[in-house]
């Protein structure tokens, strides 16, 4: 039996939950495989990827700051990677790098799981942020059929770049609002997604007026450390549906696991409990 080797490449990468998640599935499904965290600096990315391919790795996940650079190095790409111009998974096929982006479908699956039927009736979604996670959030909302997607970022110039990059790939009407000006759209907002890194590891969450959202709206935070960010705590206190970032992490991971190890693992309550425990223990 061949042992499949894979891992996650990032800088830093010691905080990543991916090795723990993939080991859980390898063990659960009795698959002979290995999945390691690989700290790699930006200027070493292409040489390390070439070396991993030579060593016999099947592929690697990519995390900060490598998703855009990995896409640029790829020979072929799946539609989500092409649309977002970012890859969170590279498969090594003979002499080619094959780019995938499972963040998009991973977030769409997490939103469907949490919102049920409401996931398909999103009129207006607001995405805070304009980095790689925001690109995935816009594409996921579009995949769910949102009619309009409003993008709000602290640095206005980045929102224009994002809209230019994505507008050809999405059916929804994309528009931009100022950080302090999107509240006029709040009463129509059905889904608010924090795709900024604000709220990560004890920093302040974006200071957005949740009280202006309609009853029945949902708030999703892609930050999962802490699991309940200050933004989600406010949403819960207000009776809004709150969706944490662990759902996206697990679903994108399951899609990547299938591409790496050949079977789709379960996103189960046991896996969630395992990862929550790791977060509580500071990993
Ligand atoms: N749950 C998951 O599976 C998953 C997957 C991917 C990413 N994520 C999370 O998503 C977050 C964003 O990741 P990324 O790859 O998009 O990062 P990124 O490319 O570095 O973008 C960071 C974004 O956050 C904004 N930002 C940072 N600090 C802010 C603050 N104090 N107030 C307002 N905006 C702020 C930045 O705005 P400016 O442009 O103004 O600097 C930018 O839009 C990270 O926390 C990451 O862990 C989660």
């Amino acid at each position: 039996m061949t042992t499949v080797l894979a891992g996650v490449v990032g800088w830093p990468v010691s905080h990543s939950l991916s090795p723990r998640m993939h080991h859980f599935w390898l063990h659960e499904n009795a698959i002979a495989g290995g999945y390691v965290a690989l700290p790699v600096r930006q200027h070493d990315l292409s040489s390390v990827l070439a070396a991993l391919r030579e060593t016999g790795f099947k592929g690697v996940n990519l995390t900060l700051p490598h998703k855009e650079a990995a896409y640029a190095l790829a020979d072929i790409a799946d539609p989500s990677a092409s649309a977002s111009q970012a890859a969170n998974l590279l498969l090594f096929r003979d002499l080619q790098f094959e780019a995938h982006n499972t963040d998009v479908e991973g977030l769409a699956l997490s939103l469907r799981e949490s919102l049920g039927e409401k996931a398909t009736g999103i009129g207006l979604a607001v995405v805070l942020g304009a980095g790689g996670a925001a690109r995935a959030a816009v594409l996921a909302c579009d995949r769910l059929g949102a009619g309009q997607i409003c993008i709000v970022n602290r640095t206005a110039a980045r929102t224009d770049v994002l809209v230019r990059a994505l507008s050809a790939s999405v059916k929804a009407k994309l528009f931009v609002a100022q950080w302090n000006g999107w509240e006029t759209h709040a009463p129509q907002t059905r889904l608010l997604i924090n795709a900024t890194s604000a709220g990560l590891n004890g920093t302040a969450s974006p200071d957005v007026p949740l009280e202006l959202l309609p009853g029945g709206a949902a708030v999703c935070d892609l930050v999962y450390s802490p699991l309940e960010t200050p933004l989600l705590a406010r949403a819960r206190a207000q009776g809004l549906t709150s969706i944490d970032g662990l759902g996206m992490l697990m679903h994108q991971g399951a899609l990547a696991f299938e591409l790496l190890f050949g079977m789709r693992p379960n996103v189960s309550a046991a896996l969630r409990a395992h990862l929550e425990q790791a977060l509580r223990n500071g990993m």
Side-chain angles (χ1 to χ4, degrees), residues 64 67 103 129-134 153-155 158 179 195-198 200 222-224 245-246 248-249 252:
L64 274 174
K67 291 183 182 182
D103 281 341
N153 193 48
R154 185 179 58 177
T155 307
R158 277 185 91 186
W179 188 260
T196 76
S197 41
L200 187 64
L222 303 193
V223 171
Y224 56 78
L246 210 47
M248 175 182 179
L249 182 86
Q252 67 74 27

Side-chain angles (χ1 to χ4, degrees), residues 255-271:
L255 295 163
F257 188 94
E258 183 173 15
L259 289 162
L260 289 166
F261 297 106
M263 62 87 62
R264 182 81 165 262
N266 285 328
V267 172
S268 61
L271 173 66

